[in-house]
Amino acid sequence: MNQLTVDDILRRALQEDIGFGDLTSEAIFAEGHYSRGYLLAKEDLVLAGMEVFTRVFVLLDDRIKVSSRYVDGDRVSEGEKFAALEGPTRALLMGERVALNFMQRLAGIATQTSRYVAAARGYGAIITDTRKTTPGLRMLEKYAVAVGGGSNHRFGLDSMVMIKDNHIKAAGGISAAINQIRERVSPFIKIEVETETLEQVREAVAAGVDVIMLDNMPIAVIKEAVDMIRGRALIEVSGNVTLERIGDLAAAGVDIISSGALTHSVKAADISMKLE
């Protein structure tokens, strides 16, 4: 992750939450008041965001110290006190919510991704994210996917060529869109095409693209498409990808399973910060 970008994200979050000051903590605690505390896992989780959590407090008050025997990617069991922290009480309480918001979000993504990866294990398919991320937090959320054992799909529109349904409709077809791209885009950039029917799959295969996405297809149709494509392009499946369907999708012989649910609707991990 780019530290300058991360720091900018964290500073904006702190400014949003603190505003002109923490009225409650500043009224109760003197500047010299110090406290110790810990982080408590209230469910089993895959840890993600430990460094982000710590960085929030470093930016707020570098006298705060955070220590943990766990690192991102480690599994933490429900009930474990997995990190300790100490420092000025005002700063600890000012940063608590922002630091936890990031960690809970990232750990939730990593934990859910790990479940998807486990469900696909043994079939050879990789689990990837999509661009369905929280605006402004894509770098952090895609990091959490990787921590959970998944892979990152394109980071943005400039990462690769991906011809989707609206491109196809506006261009007048897959072949027309690909012809325009090959006239204007470097041959060193990969081309992916989103398909919704077997006829579109045939057209994409004939065009010699690098990746063919099978979008919202039933398992039986996916298997037909896999037989049609096999060996001539990477095969991605997307749309209505749930944890319950991962095994069947992976068993169908696809190479990539992408899911927006890893980031757009994941449940935050249940983590608390407690002062002693």
Side-chain angles (χ1 to χ4, degrees):
M1 292 188 291
N2 183 303
Q3 192 62 59
L4 291 176
T5 303
V6 172
D7 283 357
D8 181 57
I9 293 169
L10 302 185
R11 285 192 178 97
R12 283 188 282 112
L14 285 167
Q15 180 58 48
E16 175 185 60
D17 198 43
I18 296 172
F20 294 104
D22 179 355
L23 293 175
T24 309
S25 299
E26 290 174 0
I28 297 174
F29 303 106
E31 176 63 32
H33 194 283
Y34 271 62
S35 292
R36 290 187 174 89
Y38 58 88
L39 292 178
L40 174 67
K42 301 177 76 174
E43 62 179 336
D44 294 341
L45 56 89
V46 174
L47 183 61
M50 192 71 242
E51 291 184 11
V52 173
F53 179 91
T54 302
R55 188 65 182 168
V56 169
F57 288 109
V58 170
L59 293 174
L60 194 58
D61 191 323
D62 61 10
R63 292 173 294 175
I64 294 176
K65 306 301 178 187
V66 181
S67 59
S68 176
R69 58 191 177 90
Y70 291 101
V71 297
D72 286 0
D74 287 345
R75 294 186 177 273
V76 181
S77 299
E78 179 182 357
E80 282 197 72
K81 297 178 181 179
F82 64 91
L85 58 164
E86 60 179 294
T89 305
R90 285 184 180 182
L92 285 171
L93 294 173
M94 281 184 184
E96 175 186 4
R97 185 69 271 150
V98 170
L100 280 176
N101 281 350
F102 282 113
M103 176 178 277
Q104 289 177 300
R105 175 74 178 162
L106 300 186
I109 291 170
T111 302
Q112 183 72 335
T113 301
S114 72
R115 297 185 185 116
Y116 276 53
V117 170
R121 190 167 291 128
Y123 294 104
I126 65 171
I127 301 297
T128 76
D129 49 30
T130 71
R131 287 166 45 243
K132 294 178 181 178
T133 54
T134 307
L137 299 184
R138 182 169 295 170
M139 176 186 292
L140 295 176
E141 293 183 346
K142 281 183 172 284
Y143 165 77
V145 168
V147 166
S151 298
N152 296 144
H153 208 296
R154 59 177 180 161
F155 190 87
L157 296 174
D158 58 352
S159 300
M160 64 179 289
V161 170
M162 187 168 179
I163 305 169
K164 296 176 70 66
D165 57 344
N166 285 329
H167 296 111
I168 294 167
K169 289 176 183 176
I174 289 174
S175 297
I178 291 173
N179 290 338
Q180 292 292 323
I181 285 165
R182 286 190 167 140
E183 288 180 7
R184 295 174 171 85
V185 176
S186 167
F188 297 103
I189 295 177
K190 289 186 179 296
I191 299 175
E192 178 169 4
V193 176
E194 178 183 279
T195 62
E196 298 176 330
T197 67
L198 290 177
E199 183 55 40
Q200 287 186 328
V201 171
R202 290 188 190 94
E203 190 176 359
V205 170
V209 300
D210 301 290
V211 188
I212 298 174
M213 177 196 288
L214 312 177
D215 186 47
N216 279 298
M217 291 183 181
I219 292 292
V221 178
I222 289 173
K223 290 179 178 178
E224 286 188 64
V226 168
D227 289 337
M228 189 183 302
I229 300 166
R230 196 180 301 277
R232 288 184 280 184
L234 286 175
I235 306 168
E236 177 182 346
V237 65
S238 191
N240 193 29
V241 173
T242 63
L243 183 58
E244 294 71 27
R245 296 187 71 219
I246 291 292
D248 289 339
L249 292 171
V254 302
D255 302 296
I256 303 162
I257 301 172
S258 59
S259 175
L262 295 178
T263 53
H264 71 56
S265 57
V266 73
K267 175 182 174 291
D270 197 354
I271 300 169
S272 288
M273 176 180 140
K274 300 291 187 182
L275 295 187
E276 297 173 330

